[in-house]
Amino acid sequence: MSEEARHARSGLPAGLEMLPLLARGAALLGLPLALTFALRARQDWNPTFASPTFHFYVVSALALLSLATALMAAWVSVAARDVRLSLLTVGFLGIGAIMAVHGLATPGFLVEHGYHGTTAASAYFAHLVGAWMLGLSALGLPPRASAWLRSRLWLLLALAVALFGAYAALALGAPDLFQRLPVAGQPGSDVFTWTMLAVDVALLTLAAGRAAISHVLSRAAMPAAIGAAALFLLASQVTLQVTQPWTLAWWLYHFYLVLGMGTVVRAVVSEYLGGKPLGQIFRELVYEDVLAQVRQGLDDSVLALAAAAEARDRYTYEHVTRVAELSVLIGQAMGLPRLRLRALAQGAMLHDVGKLYISDLVLQKPDKLTPEEFEQIKRHPALGYELLMRLKGFEREALVVRHHHEWFDGSGYPDGLRGEEIPLEARIVAVADMYDALTTDRPYRPAYSHEQAMAIIEKESGTHLDPACVEAFRRALGEGRVLAFPASARGKKRLTAS
């Protein structure tokens, strides 16, 4: 094996892409908590500031931010029939409505001191509803429940509005009931509030992690904003749990909530002013289709190289786009994690980038290539590899580019690797590449049918192709996935396999 091949196979762990984002997440959570516990530990830094009026206006600002986000998300979720986004909408709506009650029940502002239970309970319930809805939107509902709800989203939102309205009426109209709840020093409050905190920590950590992965895949602003909001909500609830009312540290939980909701609103406004439609902004939060996330998040360098390929040869551009989509489907069938799928898609998009260095006379020759011309073609994996290794951050993609013409039996090029010596992503792309090449018209032959192409691929399994990747391709098609291809590829405008 050549030194270049050894270096390429080493690659970078997929998790490294997450490290900068994890560091920012740790700072977003760690700095607020450090400030909270520093103030709590030093009483001389933590004076009491009892201002019902200021409390009302701070909480009202938070409620308005949450409700504004909920209204925008509701419009998009119903129009798009998106269940996950509807769950997020309920979360924002719940935080806004319950915190509005929390503000209206501020003792000494509009009401008297009999509303302490309402105020305290509303603070905890707002965090609870926000955490559960963010967590459910990250996990998703069971398929049957999601399918049933998809056609009844207006009912879900109407029910949420009714429930939160009933909560407000009960909390403000019957405050004595809330005085007996296990919060604010009532019997059982420690067990109740600490249990609630533990559950919310798990849900918000899940939501923040899912948002981080979505952001890395799609490079969209909204998943990052939701992840930040989840972390601020977590910091807020911890602060609420460990501080005394009206102290400076206690005030911080309100500001952490405002920061969280403000981050989301800022992202929406920034993206909208940048020319992105409101529907697209919110749908970026809940991509269930990994392929859609990958398409959204392709690196600018990948797109630039793909554009260069398109300017040179329209067939090459369409070919690598289809190969990328097929490769992601195979990778999903093999259970690759989402971050690895993104590297796979980018490697597939770039697998023929070395052909930029090959003469047009050879690339577009309508007749069979001479042995000398075929030797020129065989240089493109190594040429593409050298190009990518000069670009920072494409080490894993370089694996695909260099080794997508290695054969499972070791008779491929450029390094003669065999079996599992060939990086998995390159073995996947080899299957997708062969299928697309067979089912596309070429100057020297018409396209094969899907059935003919699959028969050839089955024949090559174990010699040219990895049998596990071939089986995963068959499973991916067997799941009924619909692949939409550019109309210029005659004979394969649309393929539905069953």
Side-chain angles (χ1 to χ4, degrees), residues 128-271:
L128 181 67
V129 170
W132 270 98
M133 291 302 104
L134 283 170
L136 283 176
S137 69
L139 280 173
L141 296 178
R144 287 186 179 180
S146 184
W148 183 87
L149 196 56
R150 187 168 289 113
S151 60
R152 298 170 177 85
L153 295 181
W154 274 117
L155 178 62
L156 170 67
L157 297 178
L159 182 61
V161 170
L163 286 174
F164 294 136
Y167 174 86
L170 189 63
L172 297 174
D176 290 345
L177 294 175
F178 284 74
Q179 292 294 97
R180 294 192 289 271
L181 292 177
V183 294
Q186 294 296 319
S189 62
D190 283 347
V191 173
F192 178 74
T193 55
W194 280 105
T195 301
M196 189 183 297
L197 175 61
V199 172
D200 289 356
V201 165
L203 291 169
L204 292 170
T205 301
L206 172 68
R210 175 70 178 251
I213 292 172
S214 293
H215 173 66
V216 170
L217 279 172
S218 68
R219 305 301 170 107
M222 281 300 286
I226 286 294
L231 294 175
F232 278 125
L233 186 61
L234 178 53
S236 175
Q237 184 158 3
V238 172
T239 301
L240 171 63
Q241 181 67 25
V242 302
T243 57
Q244 294 298 315
W246 301 116
T247 60
L248 180 59
W250 175 84
W251 281 101
L252 289 177
Y253 97 77
H254 303 81
F255 292 110
Y256 297 157
L257 278 177
V258 171
L259 282 173
M261 295 303 104
T263 299
V264 176
V265 172
R266 179 186 178 278
V268 173
V269 171
S270 176
E271 294 282 274

Side-chain angles (χ1 to χ4, degrees), residues 399-459:
L399 298 172
V400 176
V401 172
R402 185 175 185 92
H403 298 306
H404 70 280
H405 280 298
E406 303 286 1
W407 288 356
F408 200 68
D409 62 4
S411 59
Y413 61 88
D415 299 306
L417 303 184
R418 68 172 58 241
E420 294 188 1
E421 291 179 339
I422 307 167
L424 176 58
E425 288 84 347
R427 285 178 268 149
I428 290 172
V429 170
V431 175
D433 188 26
M434 179 176 288
Y435 178 85
D436 189 75
L438 289 170
T439 54
T440 305
D441 284 332
R442 301 301 292 135
Y444 47 86
R445 61 152 177 82
Y448 289 94
S449 69
H450 166 68
E451 292 74 17
Q452 291 171 323
M454 289 305 296
I456 294 172
I457 285 174
E458 294 285 356
K459 184 179 178 182

Side-chain angles (χ1 to χ4, degrees), residues 309-310 312-321 349 351-353 355 363 442:
E310 181 177 21
R312 178 91 180 277
D313 178 8
R314 179 69 187 177
Y315 164 76
T316 296
Y317 175 77
E318 292 177 351
H319 167 67
V320 298
T321 302
M349 282 288 292
H351 76 275
D352 277 340
V353 70
K355 289 183 178 178
L363 280 179
R442 301 301 292 135

